[in-house]
Amino acid sequence: MSDLSTQFDERIAALTLEQKIRLLSGASVFRTAAEPAAGLRAMVASDGPIGVRGERWDERDTALALPSATAMAATWDEELVQRLGRVLAGEARRKGVHLLLAPTLNLHRSPAGGRHFECFSEDPLLTGRIGAAYIRGVQSGGVSATAKHYVANDSETERLTLDARLDERTLREVYLAPFEAAVAAGAWTVMSAYNSVNGTTMSENPLLAEPLKGEWGFDGMVISDWGAVRSTVDSALASQDLAMPGPNAHWGEPLLAAVRDGLVPESAIDEKLRRIFRLAQRVGALDTADRATPDSTRDCDPLSASEARALLRDAAARSSVLLRNEENLLPLDRADLRSVAVIGPNAATARIQGGGSASVFPAATVTPLDGIRAALADIAKIEYAAGVHVSVRPTPLTPQNSIDPLTGEPGVRVRYLNAEGAEVHSERRLSGRILEPSVDAASLDAEFVEVSARFLPDVGGTWKVGVVGLGEVSLSADGRVLIDELVQPESDDPTYVHVSPSFRQAALDTRPGAPVELVARRRLSPTTGLAVALTADPPRRDSEDELAAAVALAKSADAAIVVVGTTDEIESEGFDRAELGLPGRQDELVAAVAAVNPRTVVLVNSGGPVLLPWLEDVPAVLLTWFPGQEAGDGIADVLFGAAEPTGRLPTTWGAAAADVPILDTAPVEGVLDYEEGLHIGYRAWLRSQRSDAQSADGVRNPPLFWFGHGLGYTTWRYEGVCVPRKVEHGQPFTVQVTVRNSGRRTGREVVQVYLSRAESALDRPVRWLAGYALVEAQPGEEVTVPVAIEPRALQHWSVSARCWGTEPGEFTVLAGNSAGSLPLAATIAVD
């Protein structure tokens, strides 16, 4: 036993059973319990993965907003992702956070998954490698990363209760693989998911013991998803270590009684505490002689503000995927531009992140319109038109249109009132959207929350003013009641209740600049959360007039840049997508603009796949994902040639929903059957393309864009592949791929290697990603790229032998630039 383990045991032995039990659940929503007698301080957790929000939802506590997880995976660049992880570690240390609740290692099983922007990809190898890089970066700064949600938490519909049913081989080779990579990378924390797997909820599931803590040797802590511990004895007997948030009702007095009654051995409690103490030691929350964080943190000093913004700008550019570029329209030559039309609602109000618990509050955001204007300053005239409106949820008041009635400063006044209406807390906030107070809500004894402001409409006409919140809500304007009703909850999902609850709106006639006193109030209840918002949306032009104005603007411009995308109502934690099409009339907008301007560039601002029915009518399409706070400048760098779009798709995109092999995410009677087995993502598409007798279903149309696809500003020729003649079972090998930059510009390529097996006794994918490497080359330069292939790429999980095995015989090695474009092939014999 190590000296540290001995220290842990000595500290634990000195605790009473009551003290031990108290440490197994949180002290509050994002803070663990402390025990001064054992030298244990509280540890603070924060949501991620694109930023470090901190303990509270407070727009005044700003955070750097990085590109989404799908954008990170689209770089295929582990070194870059590791650097982004270091940025997050610096942000966590700045905010006193010990535990970052990220990365999300679940897979894009269906493109309809609502939370896919928070996950990396559809492929277990790519997800594992990018996730491992993220973890190494975060933990190099002495902050724990959290590999979540373990496991098969790949859809949002009934996510709290669904039972994912899948066979053992699929579980091992596909869904557990990224978590195994995370453990190998040294992850300090793993989060158990809400859902069940094969009949057992994950906080009680044997998978926490095997393979996680046993076979893989995970020595870290298993934290629950928030509220996922829903039993006493079963979860305590499982390898679940910490229940969050806390105090947890199941692990308080009931667990104490269960131990005293002999239902749960005290040794199980002690094992959980060892892991909590070990994490505390790693993040510097335990008083020990070697309390300092790891030596590697000496190389992880926080970047300056300018350095961090430059890195985020670079990441936004590198993650962009050029889907189409006819006649090399991109990059646009600035010298040829005198006027540019920028069109689309997402151009002026950038969607930089997805909805739900992953959201943060950046200090400033560069919109695509901002970035284009900056790049073309003193060069071209930039004009903007929305073209369409797509958002359904109301817009909270901002410092630009609201005044705190108490202080006269920009913002709103938030008051918490007791049952008698007496004020128990008051504060000025910068947004009309208030998710929680800046002080401990439990200490307030508040019955009501009230948001008030002197609203200053910048245009006259009929505005829509509103209140967001559950239960009894009201809204008044200059003392006149506009809304007074009981809003019944539509779901018990935490994201709905605490982040995006229902809203009500009313019409309000205004005059430009004439202030209106708005007051929104709601009654608080333990089951309806704390969230409330005071909102105002301006009069809108008729939809036909709006579209016509955008088309007229595009027709008169040298180039048109149309920004389309999703909204929080489409892609968010808490629900899956009802359809894959762009919301509103965006498809119609793109088609109309392209019809009048042959130099139309479309930017797709989404976290996951959307349908592109106008693709053949548009010369250039650039996928920007949710690109983070430096979105506009990074996108402009790509549009005008200061940077190359070096991203490659981490997910396969279909032309129509009917073509997608796996679309449905809805459980049937609580069960979600992963009947496709190993065949998800591009693997499912490949299987659906086969017309022979082995095909599992009817032949479908090929995808619009294969996994791994992406163009650049140069071209590449794949010239040769060299592999060893034979490889032994359990041994790695290297594939040498020779490529040539056949274009006129220095560029970067992602060289991808896949394996296939023509004759096999096993069910196998048609082909599967085995390795990849990045290469840069000058125009005309030939480069031979070594691509390392790990033993697992050739292995399969043997259910009967309960181990990894290798089928002897010949495998085909394929190399190219996507799962659907692999011009090079060689054969390797496996002994």
Side-chain angles (χ1 to χ4, degrees), residues 508-811:
L508 177 66
D509 292 331
T510 67
R511 290 179 291 112
V516 181
E517 298 290 333
L518 296 178
V519 180
R521 179 184 286 199
R522 61 159 295 208
R523 184 187 291 272
L524 299 175
S525 165
T527 60
T528 57
L530 297 169
V532 64
L534 176 56
T535 70
D537 287 276
R540 290 181 174 176
R541 185 159 44 183
D542 176 81
S543 62
E544 293 296 335
D545 292 343
E546 191 76 67
L547 183 63
V551 173
L553 184 64
K555 187 174 183 179
S556 65
D558 293 332
I561 299 171
V562 186
V563 186
V564 297
T566 59
T567 67
D568 282 356
E569 300 97 74
I570 302 298
E571 283 187 279
S572 173
E573 178 183 359
F575 54 85
D576 290 318
R577 296 164 64 186
E579 55 186 32
L580 300 183
L582 291 167
R585 301 177 66 182
Q586 293 183 93
D587 289 334
E588 187 178 348
L589 173 66
V590 172
V593 169
V596 300
N597 193 317
R599 302 181 77 196
T600 294
V601 179
V602 179
L603 308 182
V604 181
N605 179 203
S606 71
V610 294
L611 303 181
L612 311 175
W614 33 259
L615 181 69
E616 295 298 323
D617 301 323
V618 176
V621 179
L622 183 70
L623 174 57
T624 67
W625 309 104
F626 298 148
Q629 68 178 58
E630 304 303 316
D633 286 337
I635 291 168
D637 287 342
V638 171
L639 288 175
F640 305 111
E644 183 185 23
T646 53
R648 302 295 184 264
L649 286 179
T651 306
T652 305
W653 286 44
D659 297 331
V660 177
I662 305 168
L663 187 61
D664 190 19
T665 60
V668 177
E669 298 182 352
V671 174
L672 186 59
D673 194 342
Y674 286 36
E675 60 186 0
E676 69 281 349
L678 306 172
H679 309 277
I680 69 167
Y682 65 91
R683 300 176 178 189
W685 283 95
L686 286 164
R687 185 171 69 159
S688 73
Q689 299 302 295
R690 296 189 305 187
S691 59
D692 59 15
Q694 299 177 51
S695 181
D697 53 13
V699 178
R700 298 175 184 268
N701 293 322
L704 193 63
F705 297 111
W706 285 100
F707 171 85
H709 170 79
L711 307 174
Y713 288 160
T714 188
T715 55
W716 296 87
R717 189 163 64 240
Y718 281 73
E719 298 190 335
V721 60
C722 181
V723 300
R725 292 181 57 191
K726 182 183 292 187
V727 63
E728 299 287 338
H729 163 69
Q731 295 299 310
F733 65 98
T734 300
V735 177
Q736 303 285 345
V737 182
T738 300
V739 296
R740 184 182 300 277
N741 181 344
S742 55
R744 299 179 179 179
R745 175 175 171 145
T746 299
R748 191 192 79 163
E749 175 73 323
V750 180
V751 175
Q752 302 164 44
V753 172
Y754 296 75
L755 294 176
S756 70
R757 173 92 181 210
E759 300 293 334
S760 176
L762 302 165
D763 175 37
R764 292 185 183 274
V766 176
R767 51 182 171 268
W768 59 96
L769 182 68
Y772 60 88
L774 278 55
V775 60
E776 293 189 6
Q778 303 290 326
E781 183 181 4
E782 179 187 278
V783 181
T784 297
V785 186
V787 181
I789 310 298
E790 294 300 318
R792 185 62 57 79
L794 290 165
Q795 294 175 339
H796 64 274
W797 179 255
S798 172
V799 176
S800 59
R802 304 206 55 76
C803 66
W804 292 97
T806 305
E807 186 180 21
E810 290 189 345
F811 286 75

Side-chain angles (χ1 to χ4, degrees), residues 135-374:
I135 289 166
R136 289 193 298 269
V138 170
Q139 294 187 173
S140 69
V143 175
S144 177
T146 305
K148 67 179 190 182
H149 309 83
Y150 186 88
V151 59
N153 184 228
D154 310 294
S155 59
E156 293 296 283
T157 305
E158 299 180 28
R159 64 173 176 149
L160 304 183
T161 58
L162 75 82
D163 182 15
R165 299 281 177 89
L166 62 169
D167 66 83
E168 186 177 346
R169 186 174 167 217
T170 297
L171 187 63
R172 284 284 193 152
E173 294 186 24
V174 180
Y175 296 97
L176 283 173
F179 290 94
E180 185 176 6
V183 172
W188 294 342
T189 305
V190 168
M191 179 186 286
S192 60
Y194 288 122
N195 59 283
S196 296
V197 171
N198 294 331
T200 305
T201 190
M202 280 311 304
S203 60
E204 304 168 10
N205 203 292
L207 291 169
L208 296 177
E210 291 294 346
L212 180 60
K213 291 182 176 180
E215 177 189 327
W216 296 350
F218 174 63
D219 68 353
M221 182 189 76
V222 175
I223 191 173
S224 74
D225 205 340
W226 265 228
V229 169
R230 293 168 283 203
S231 68
T232 298
V233 174
D234 289 344
S235 58
L237 290 175
S239 290
Q240 179 71 52
D241 300 317
L242 177 66
M244 290 296 285
N248 181 283
H250 301 287
W251 275 19
E253 289 296 326
L255 182 53
L256 183 63
V259 176
R260 286 174 172 165
D261 292 344
L263 300 176
V264 176
E266 190 169 353
S267 60
I269 305 300
D270 292 348
E271 173 57 22
K272 299 177 193 302
L273 288 172
R274 285 187 196 98
R275 291 173 179 272
I276 292 172
F277 274 71
R278 185 176 295 119
L279 178 66
Q281 186 274 330
R282 284 169 164 166
V283 300
L286 188 66
D287 291 327
T288 63
D290 54 351
R291 171 179 150 190
T293 50
D295 289 342
S296 56
T297 61
R298 297 173 186 170
D299 300 324
C300 293
D301 292 332
L303 299 179
S304 67
S306 60
E307 289 173 329
R309 291 189 62 182
L311 177 60
L312 270 54
R313 176 176 181 164
D314 182 44
R318 288 204 207 184
S319 64
S320 298
V321 180
L322 186 58
L323 297 176
R324 179 176 169 88
N325 194 23
E326 295 301 297
E327 298 181 4
N328 296 321
L329 176 60
L330 290 180
L332 294 168
D333 188 345
R334 297 194 304 166
D336 290 343
L337 300 174
R338 293 295 175 266
S339 63
V340 175
V342 181
I343 295 167
N346 287 33
T349 305
R351 182 143 195 238
I352 65 166
Q353 58 187 329
S357 63
S359 58
V360 297
F361 305 101
T365 297
V366 184
T367 69
L369 182 59
D370 293 334
I372 293 166
R373 281 175 171 160

Side-chain angles (χ1 to χ4, degrees), residues 404-479:
D404 178 354
L406 181 64
T407 66
E409 299 173 279
V412 304
R413 173 61 39 179
V414 182
R415 299 198 307 147
Y416 291 85
L417 314 173
N418 64 19
E420 289 72 38
E423 182 181 291
V424 294
H425 178 70
S426 177
E427 59 184 302
R428 180 174 74 93
R429 298 290 287 263
L430 301 179
S431 169
R433 181 181 184 227
I434 311 300
L435 298 180
E436 61 184 14
S438 61
V439 298
D440 181 19
S443 67
L444 295 178
D445 194 27
E447 185 81 9
F448 300 94
V449 58
E450 177 188 277
V451 184
S452 60
R454 189 173 304 129
F455 169 54
L456 303 173
D458 57 344
V459 297
T462 302
W463 285 64
K464 282 185 177 180
V465 292
V467 56
V468 179
L470 302 176
E472 297 177 18
V473 301
S474 64
L475 174 66
S476 64
D478 288 336

